[in-house]
Amino acid sequence: MFLEVRELSFGYGNMLIPSLRGLSFGIEKGEIVGIVGPSGSGKSTLLRLIAGFERPLEGSIVLDGITVAAKDVYVPPESRNVGMVFQDYGLFPHMTVRKNIEFGLRRLKGEERAMRANEMLAMAQMENFPSRYPYELSGGQQQRVSLMRALAPRPRLLLLDEPFSNLDADLREIMCKDVKTILEKEKITCLFVSHDQRDVNAVCSRIITQTY
Amino acid sequence: MKRKILVFLSICAFSLTCASVALAASPEVNVYSARHYEIDEVLYNNFTKETGIKVNVISGNAPELVERIKREGERSPADLFMTVDGGVLNSAKVAGILQPTSSPVIDAAVPAHLKDKDGYWVGLTTRARIIVYSKERVKPEQLSTYEDLADPKWKGKITVRSSAAMYDQSLLATLIALDGEDKAFEWARGIVNNLARAPQGNDRDQAKAIAAGISDVCLMNTYYIGQMLNSKDPEEVKAAEKVSIFFPNQKTTGTHLNISGAGLVKNSPNKENAIKLVEFLLDLPQQRLLSSANYEYPVNPAAETAPLLKSWGTDFKTQMLDFAIYGENNIKAIQVFNKGGWK
Amino acid sequence: MKRSFSCIRNPWIFTHRLSVVSVSLPFIFLAIQAAAPANENWLHIRGWLLQTYVLDTLLLTLSGVFIASMIGVPLAWITCLFAFPGKYFIEWALVLPLAIPPYISAYIYYHLMGYTGGFQAGLRTFLGLDVNRFGFDIPPMPFAVFIFAVTLFPYVYLIVKAFLKHQSASLYENTRLLGRGAWSSFFGVFLPLMAPSIAGGATLVAFEILSDFGVTSHFGIHTFSTAIFSAWFGMSDADSAAKMSVMLLGAVFTLAAFNKLAQRTLKYRIVSSKERALLPRIPSRRVGLACTFFCVLVLLFSVIIPVGQLFSWLTLSWNQELLPRLWQNARNIVSSALAATSCTMILAVGTVNATRLFPSKPNLALAQFATIGYSVPGAVLAMGVISLFSFISRAGASFGIHDLFDISRTTAMLIFAYAVRFFAIGYHAVESGFSKVGNIYGEAARTLGAGPSETFFRVEMPLIRNAIISGFVLVFVDIMKELPLTMILRPFNFNTLGTSVYDFAKNEIMEEIALPAILIIAVCAAFIAIASLLDKSYSAARPEVRRGER
């Protein structure tokens, strides 16, 4: 198993009922797995736990053979090498498209960095607008840039949190295809969370259904 | 690494101005002063010119300075504590921040009743708290004593400062000593009954109240009238010209005198320089300057009094009380004010 | 790298602890020294004075806060809603009262309304009218309330305006579409929405009034601050002072708790981030002129009259020889204020970020605790700071380091005290900046491999830049206006513009305060102006930042 989640429980401080209880599943390398469930069922929380924004109450998360979260073990997000695409994209508003993509590449040398960024810009079909600011982009463009930004540092695992929820229906279909193509081309392991079965069907190879 | 940068930045910012005040190696004397008069600065400069000793000053309110010296403890750099009001001088002595001192020059310059009986402080100038009255509406014959102001005949004709004012606290402290606490309480209540308005403002505002026709009489320190008459603000001069002054209690206990003085601090690191500065301030030219610039009475009997003060007469009778009384009765005075309703 | 989450080695937690310790130490030293046996003085205070203190403090604070809100809220409302004539200048000018220390305003108005002041002298000279004959006299309490209202309302105005700017236009449009008039939409919809920000501004005003010494002592109003002061330093009764300090702190914490409660229960999350912002529209001529008139009236009393009086004094007292000395005084206070403000903001930013990175209950509570320096009387804090530094200096001497904090020669003590006192202002400014930005950018940066510090410096700091700048300006301006700490903690020969004003006022030579007072106001106004220019140019050049901040 590339990602292994064992008996994971989590609850926010002021809630009596935990938002996740004893969840276990695994993902193989290169798999694109979707998690479907109504809003409030703890899907986003699961992603936040895997990314390292929250620490689980119980259970453990093992990524590529390394335990990143368990009792007494906590690897901070920046050391997990996990990429994430947020529902609201989270593009840095004070940086251009190129700067956004280059943000995760600071370990690379100048030339390599530029090359990788160009590659990503091309895949995002943004090669003509590298110096635009996020607010100057359409929703679909923002979506693609944020995906490329997450992919640029070659994360071991990519997390997608409702990435299409802000797009209209037509664009959504196109984006689903684009994303699938890109993910397969980059051979990336991916966990995709959505409340919409269609999105997940279009992108994922395996589906886990999460209930309350 | 970022932490180091952060710590470094904090230290830089902190030391930026700390370092701007360099350590001085030349001869100096450190003065903590609650005298807030501009003429003092001139005198310090003259002292430095004459002796080469630099005068470092921290000025502030007297109780705070006393508290600061106390808390600085044996490492306090203070040499000289200067303030106005006998009560405050006494409280500094009681607080244990002063040490006795004497020198032939000081002994010769200052009469015995204008310095501490144990030598903890020595007077620099004096001022009288007098009755100021409306030239239009009051005849001097109607005035006699502080005590008389509590008489119902002055109902609605007096204005005073708030009881937080040190000068009135000291006046009341002496009345407690002279007339007893019960009489003093009656007096405070009598004054409150006679007030034309709630206690407020500073000394000058009381004279302005008379000029404005709000009241007919008030209590003021002598030098404020002098300063008003010589103000740059023509309206102030006009107001001061509408009033006149009266030295009360001439036939009884004498006019209330207050004092400004200096005391040598207990752990003074520059004791000799401090004594030199005091002697300098008591010398005739400086005493004359203090009087002429600030309208205070010099403590050195040989020094020339300002012409304006002379024109008011300098041979008035004063309360012959130990200034220590001002401090000893201070809390009683505050309590009497509170009980009497003098806000 | 995993170890970086241990408390001591993490720079943010380090800063957080540093702030907490810095603020607590003076109070610990105060507590040690306040442990004196009870005496009969306390009975006297309780019997004769306490009731007055409580009532006067309550009356002054509540009416001051009320009037300041009555001025601040409508101003914020009309400047956000209407593009009335002169709006752009007025909107900026309405911050200027912050540059005028309340005690200077008090001196000025007291003089102005007094017998020799411009008002009465004018009536006498031109109309031959002597209003005193009709018993003209302003009682101290309403006078003080007026002074606090006209000098402190910008706190309410600024905070409410910042809130309204982030409201969506559709909210207002909908209330109008649903058949409500402008008034009704104000009282029915926006007032409840504004309640948390009004509470925030009002709390700041209340703190300022509670800890004031200059205005209340000038008008002879006995509040807790003046009472603590006179009990401690007037009657040397530390015990009673400590008792009253505890009462005051109790009041302050209650106030802070109320504010927190208001923020929590009254806060309605504005759902979407993609709404159009509330933009001012052009009102009818009548409404527009009414708005302009109201603003000008406020400006008249808060800025124009006081500054005008200062300039008229200046013509009486102008003296070129004073300039070099005042120049030196100005340099003293500006450099100390800059150093102290930098320290304060570094501590504030570090502390807020630490509570975001490690939002445990103790961390949040400690950070809240560190803001109490703002609410105690300056003189009381000053005594704690002296005790602390004397202790350090003695400890240094016993280890043979004799020049460690030679406290009367450096401004270290003063700068430290400023930082402790005004930490709260910087903290709240940074906190509100962070809460507008939210967590998403920080989290995105973390998944891209940036550690907490890099995330802060590269992503979050640029986004909360405006909040940091406005915190910086508020702290700086407050230090420029500060009096008790400066008076008590300054080193030798260290005079500031504020102490010059105080000296002249104490000597009752009002016309001489003109020059230093004008310089204080000018420096503060310049800072406010630069900050608002920076803010404007930054936002104008990069509209995405404004969007991002929503």
Side-chain angles (χ1 to χ4, degrees):
Chain A
M1 285 288 152
F2 186 73
L3 169 74
E4 206 170 344
V5 172
R6 284 189 214 123
E7 290 297 320
L8 201 63
S9 290
F10 179 82
Y12 285 100
N14 50 3
M15 278 187 209
L16 291 172
I17 308 156
S19 43
L20 279 181
R21 228 180 319 179
L23 179 72
S24 299
F25 67 91
I27 301 180
E28 296 292 347
K29 196 170 172 83
E31 242 188 329
I32 300 174
V33 174
I35 297 187
V36 195
S39 41
S41 59
K43 300 177 312 271
S44 290
T45 309
L46 175 65
L47 292 194
R48 293 178 62 78
L49 282 162
I50 296 172
F53 301 142
E54 314 285 354
R55 303 175 72 155
L57 286 178
E58 279 164 37
S60 63
I61 301 169
V62 180
L63 182 61
D64 202 6
I66 300 161
T67 306
V68 292
K71 205 179 172 68
D72 305 326
V73 179
Y74 173 72
V75 178
E78 64 270 22
S79 312
R80 290 190 183 190
N81 197 8
V82 169
M84 183 154 173
V85 177
F86 294 80
Q87 190 172 356
D88 291 330
Y89 315 132
L91 290 175
F92 304 134
H94 59 301
M95 295 182 193
T96 60
V97 168
R98 174 179 280 281
K99 288 275 174 215
N100 260 287
I101 289 176
E102 283 181 348
F103 188 89
L105 298 174
R106 67 212 179 295
R107 290 224 178 72
L108 299 182
K109 293 244 162 50
E111 226 169 279
E112 282 176 76
R113 190 192 306 159
M115 266 172 59
R116 178 73 178 158
N118 286 340
E119 197 182 329
M120 292 292 118
L121 281 168
M123 264 202 270
Q125 303 156 34
M126 291 293 297
E127 57 270 71
N128 296 329
F129 322 108
S131 42
R132 284 209 178 163
Y133 282 94
Y135 75 99
E136 295 168 309
L137 305 179
S138 72
Q141 286 169 323
Q142 289 190 31
Q143 164 72 71
R144 281 197 297 268
V145 172
S146 102
L147 179 65
M148 288 310 143
R149 182 179 73 172
L151 286 177
R154 299 183 210 277
R156 288 188 288 196
L157 174 69
L158 182 69
L159 307 172
L160 300 176
D161 186 5
E162 306 265 9
F164 307 134
S165 65
N166 285 336
L167 303 179
D168 51 43
D170 298 344
L171 195 53
R172 205 170 174 131
E173 234 167 82
I174 301 170
M175 283 306 298
C176 279
K177 272 185 210 146
D178 285 2
V179 167
K180 191 176 168 71
T181 323
I182 292 169
L183 290 181
E184 279 168 355
K185 189 173 155 203
E186 290 275 305
K187 293 197 185 59
I188 207 115
T189 318
C190 179
L191 190 58
F192 179 171
V193 150
S194 175
H195 65 277
D196 192 324
Q197 190 82 38
R198 282 170 304 171
D199 292 352
V200 178
N201 287 344
V203 179
C204 302
S205 52
R206 185 155 69 91
I207 295 166
I208 300 169
T209 306
Q210 170 83 356
T211 50
Y212 285 103
Chain B
M1 193 194 64
K2 284 276 157 54
R3 172 175 58 131
K4 278 183 197 146
I5 296 174
L6 220 67
V7 171
F8 176 74
L9 275 176
S10 331
I11 293 171
C12 280
F14 201 82
S15 52
L16 189 74
T17 50
C18 302
S20 69
V21 189
L23 291 176
S26 51
E28 58 177 8
V29 54
N30 301 326
V31 179
Y32 283 33
S33 173
R35 276 180 56 96
H36 36 75
Y37 310 114
E38 273 194 81
I39 184 68
D40 293 15
E41 203 121 322
V42 178
L43 293 176
Y44 298 147
N45 287 339
N46 293 348
F47 178 69
T48 308
K49 261 181 237 156
E50 205 162 289
T51 60
I53 300 169
K54 184 163 186 271
V55 184
N56 297 318
V57 185
I58 294 177
S59 54
N61 294 318
E64 295 161 6
L65 291 175
V66 171
E67 198 67 27
R68 175 165 177 173
I69 295 171
K70 230 197 281 183
R71 279 161 197 269
E72 284 173 343
E74 73 255 33
R75 283 182 56 76
S76 173
D79 294 309
L80 213 53
F81 171 65
M82 283 171 51
T83 187
V84 294
D85 189 82
V88 175
L89 283 165
N90 189 64
S91 73
K93 174 186 170 187
V94 172
I97 61 160
L98 301 180
Q99 59 173 312
T101 175
S102 71
S103 85
V105 180
I106 295 176
D107 291 344
V110 188
H113 70 283
L114 295 181
K115 58 189 176 211
D116 180 54
K117 56 179 183 289
D118 304 317
Y120 280 86
W121 55 261
V122 48
L124 295 172
T125 58
T126 64
R127 59 284 296 281
R129 195 143 184 87
I130 46 161
I131 296 178
V132 169
Y133 62 93
S134 162
K135 278 181 186 167
E136 272 174 43
R137 298 183 294 277
V138 179
K139 292 197 180 68
E141 300 87 73
Q142 293 170 271
L143 296 161
S144 57
T145 59
Y146 298 110
E147 289 84 348
D148 176 62
L149 293 180
D151 191 283
K153 74 181 172 204
W154 296 109
K155 190 155 183 64
K157 292 185 173 162
I158 299 178
T159 49
V160 293
R161 297 179 66 152
S162 94
S163 62
M166 194 53 102
Y167 301 133
D168 284 332
Q169 291 175 6
S170 288
L171 172 62
L172 186 59
T174 60
L175 294 183
I176 292 173
L178 293 167
D179 304 339
E181 199 172 333
D182 293 339
K183 283 263 175 63
F185 168 67
E186 292 300 322
W187 178 77
R189 216 172 49 180
I191 295 281
V192 171
N193 285 335
N194 287 346
L195 288 183
R197 66 171 183 202
Q200 58 179 278
N202 52 33
D203 267 27
R204 292 186 194 212
D205 290 325
Q206 312 312 320
K208 289 178 199 167
I210 294 179
I214 294 172
S215 62
D216 291 350
V217 289
C218 69
L219 296 168
M220 274 177 83
N221 281 355
T222 36
Y223 58 93
Y224 282 124
I225 283 289
Q227 288 173 359
M228 275 180 93
L229 285 169
N230 292 281
S231 170
K232 287 176 192 160
D233 183 347
E235 286 291 332
E236 287 230 329
V237 180
K238 266 194 245 170
E241 280 165 353
K242 290 192 170 182
V243 301
S244 190
I245 61 156
F246 181 81
F247 289 95
N249 293 45
Q250 287 307 300
K251 290 182 183 138
T252 58
T253 48
T255 298
H256 175 74
L257 198 67
N258 213 329
I259 193 158
S260 86
L264 189 62
V265 177
K266 198 175 183 181
N267 297 305
S268 158
N270 308 296
K271 196 172 161 181
E272 277 155 35
N273 295 348
I275 294 175
K276 260 188 216 158
L277 177 58
V278 174
E279 289 174 352
F280 175 80
L281 292 174
L282 291 172
D283 202 6
L284 297 180
Q286 283 65 248
Q287 286 277 301
R288 205 192 48 189
L289 203 55
L290 277 171
S291 184
S292 63
N294 220 28
Y295 308 102
E296 296 182 272
Y297 296 100
V299 289
N300 192 335
E304 189 193 346
T305 308
L308 178 71
L309 297 182
K310 269 195 211 157
S311 74
W312 293 344
T314 50
D315 56 346
F316 56 92
K317 180 180 174 186
T318 60
Q319 289 175 340
M320 289 307 263
L321 286 170
D322 186 349
F323 286 104
I325 299 275
Y326 296 24
E328 285 157 14
N329 283 350
N330 180 261
I331 290 187
K332 259 189 214 158
I334 293 173
Q335 296 186 351
V336 167
F337 273 138
N338 291 333
K339 288 179 196 167
W342 186 322
K343 294 246 169 148
Chain C
M1 271 315 281
K2 284 176 206 167
R3 292 285 310 271
S4 74
F5 273 72
S6 86
C7 289
I8 306 140
R9 301 183 68 190
N10 185 287
W12 303 103
I13 285 293
F14 174 80
T15 321
H16 178 268
R17 300 290 187 268
L18 185 67
S19 313
V20 174
V21 169
S22 306
V23 172
S24 335
L25 277 176
F27 291 97
I28 292 171
F29 273 87
L30 273 184
I32 295 169
Q33 306 206 336
N39 58 30
E40 62 182 76
N41 207 8
W42 172 245
L43 294 178
H44 173 81
I45 291 176
R46 207 178 58 190
W48 293 97
L49 305 170
L50 202 57
Q51 205 187 352
T52 325
Y53 293 163
V54 173
L55 288 180
D56 276 8
T57 308
L58 270 180
L59 188 62
L60 183 68
T61 312
L62 290 181
S63 10
V65 165
F66 179 73
I67 310 271
S69 309
M70 290 294 289
I71 301 175
V73 174
L75 283 177
W77 175 249
I78 59 177
T79 48
C80 280
L81 219 60
F82 302 124
F84 52 84
K87 174 185 180 266
Y88 287 97
F89 173 72
I90 285 172
E91 203 178 359
W92 173 78
L94 283 172
V95 189
L96 281 184
L98 280 186
I100 303 177
Y103 64 92
I104 291 184
S105 213
Y107 294 155
I108 292 171
Y109 271 104
Y110 191 81
H111 174 89
L112 205 56
M113 303 310 286
Y115 178 70
T116 58
F119 178 66
Q120 291 199 33
L123 287 180
R124 270 199 309 276
T125 317
F126 298 113
L127 300 175
L129 192 67
D130 195 344
V131 284
N132 279 295
R133 304 234 181 277
F134 314 115
F136 174 83
D137 187 28
I138 301 168
M141 182 60 89
F143 213 143
V145 169
F146 167 79
I147 296 291
F148 283 128
V150 295
T151 48
L152 299 177
F153 78 86
Y155 285 116
V156 180
Y157 163 73
L158 281 175
I159 293 180
V160 173
K161 196 174 81 170
F163 168 80
L164 283 175
K165 281 241 157 109
H166 289 101
Q167 293 309 298
S168 93
S170 65
L171 204 56
Y172 180 72
E173 284 155 6
N174 271 318
T175 56
R176 300 302 295 269
L177 280 175
L178 291 168
R180 298 293 194 90
W183 287 104
S184 165
S185 84
F186 174 75
F187 285 106
V189 178
F190 277 92
L191 200 59
L193 280 176
M194 282 189 282
S197 38
I198 297 174
T203 312
L204 282 181
V205 175
F207 282 171
E208 290 273 347
I209 296 178
L210 280 176
S211 63
D212 172 84
F213 183 73
V215 177
T216 44
S217 69
H218 187 255
F219 285 117
I221 296 170
H222 291 291
T223 63
F224 266 98
S225 286
T226 54
I228 291 169
F229 192 81
S230 69
W232 200 332
F233 310 124
M235 302 181 175
S236 329
D237 182 4
D239 185 57
S240 304
K243 285 194 171 92
M244 285 189 285
S245 299
V246 170
M247 289 180 177
L248 182 67
L249 278 184
V252 163
F253 278 124
T254 317
L255 211 63
F258 260 124
N259 184 28
K260 273 268 168 252
L261 197 71
Q263 308 296 343
R264 201 170 309 152
T265 54
L266 297 175
K267 195 162 223 158
Y268 308 94
R269 277 252 161 262
I270 307 306
V271 185
S272 172
S273 59
K274 299 211 160 36
E275 303 266 12
R276 280 173 305 118
L278 192 60
L279 286 177
R281 55 208 64 212
I282 293 170
S284 74
R285 202 176 152 68
R286 208 160 47 92
V287 173
L289 285 179
C291 290
T292 312
F293 176 73
F294 178 57
C295 293
V296 170
L297 196 67
V298 172
L299 282 175
L300 182 72
F301 283 109
S302 56
V303 180
I304 300 170
I305 289 179
V307 173
Q309 174 66 60
L310 286 175
F311 276 102
S312 105
W313 273 334
L314 191 61
T315 58
L316 293 174
S317 64
W318 174 252
N319 177 1
Q320 209 140 19
E321 287 162 35
L322 278 178
L323 275 182
R325 218 169 72 196
L326 284 175
W327 178 237
Q328 177 60 40
N329 293 358
R331 269 182 27 203
N332 283 344
I333 186 61
V334 170
S335 63
S336 307
L338 281 177
T341 310
S342 311
C343 292
T344 310
M345 291 314 290
I346 288 171
L347 289 179
V349 167
T351 308
V352 175
N353 204 29
T355 60
R356 275 164 49 87
L357 291 170
F358 310 98
S360 69
K361 282 229 171 78
N363 280 351
L364 289 168
L366 283 174
Q368 274 298 318
F369 169 78
T371 60
I372 65 165
Y374 189 44
S375 41
V376 293
V380 173
L381 174 61
M383 290 309 158
V385 172
I386 292 186
S387 295
L388 169 65
F389 275 73
S390 308
F391 174 79
I392 295 174
S393 160
R394 273 199 296 277
S398 67
F399 285 109
I401 319 166
H402 283 279
D403 288 332
L404 182 74
F405 292 127
D406 195 349
I407 52 179
S408 291
R409 292 184 197 282
T410 73
T411 48
M413 201 157 63
L414 191 57
I415 290 172
F416 176 82
Y418 285 148
V420 168
R421 181 151 183 75
F422 296 114
F423 174 79
I425 296 182
Y427 178 86
H428 288 307
V430 176
E431 196 188 32
S432 79
F434 263 127
S435 74
K436 272 181 211 150
V437 173
N439 288 331
I440 181 167
Y441 304 114
E443 288 176 348
R446 296 292 291 277
T447 61
L448 292 167
S453 301
E454 190 187 348
T455 300
F456 175 75
F457 286 110
R458 283 185 63 194
V459 177
E460 287 171 329
M461 197 167 84
L463 291 177
I464 62 165
R465 208 190 82 133
N466 284 350
I468 296 178
I469 290 178
S470 72
F472 193 95
V473 169
L474 281 179
V475 173
F476 180 88
V477 164
D478 251 327
I479 293 177
M480 288 293 297
K481 297 192 291 182
E482 208 283 336
L483 204 50
L485 290 179
T486 320
M487 290 285 294
I488 302 175
L489 298 175
R490 55 183 161 162
F492 283 120
N493 310 324
F494 183 90
N495 297 304
T496 69
L497 296 173
T499 63
S500 301
V501 168
Y502 184 83
D503 285 346
F504 287 127
K506 188 149 188 198
N507 274 340
E508 310 182 0
I509 315 173
M510 296 316 289
E511 64 273 12
E512 297 280 358
I513 76 167
L515 198 51
I518 287 172
L519 285 174
I520 294 181
I521 295 170
V523 172
C524 293
F527 250 75
I528 293 171
I530 291 171
S532 77
L533 278 181
L534 275 177
D535 184 80
K536 279 229 174 72
S537 65
Y538 187 67
S539 308
R542 309 174 121 180
E544 83 285 356
V545 172
R546 278 166 96 174
R547 254 180 80 143
E549 277 184 352
R550 279 204 282 137

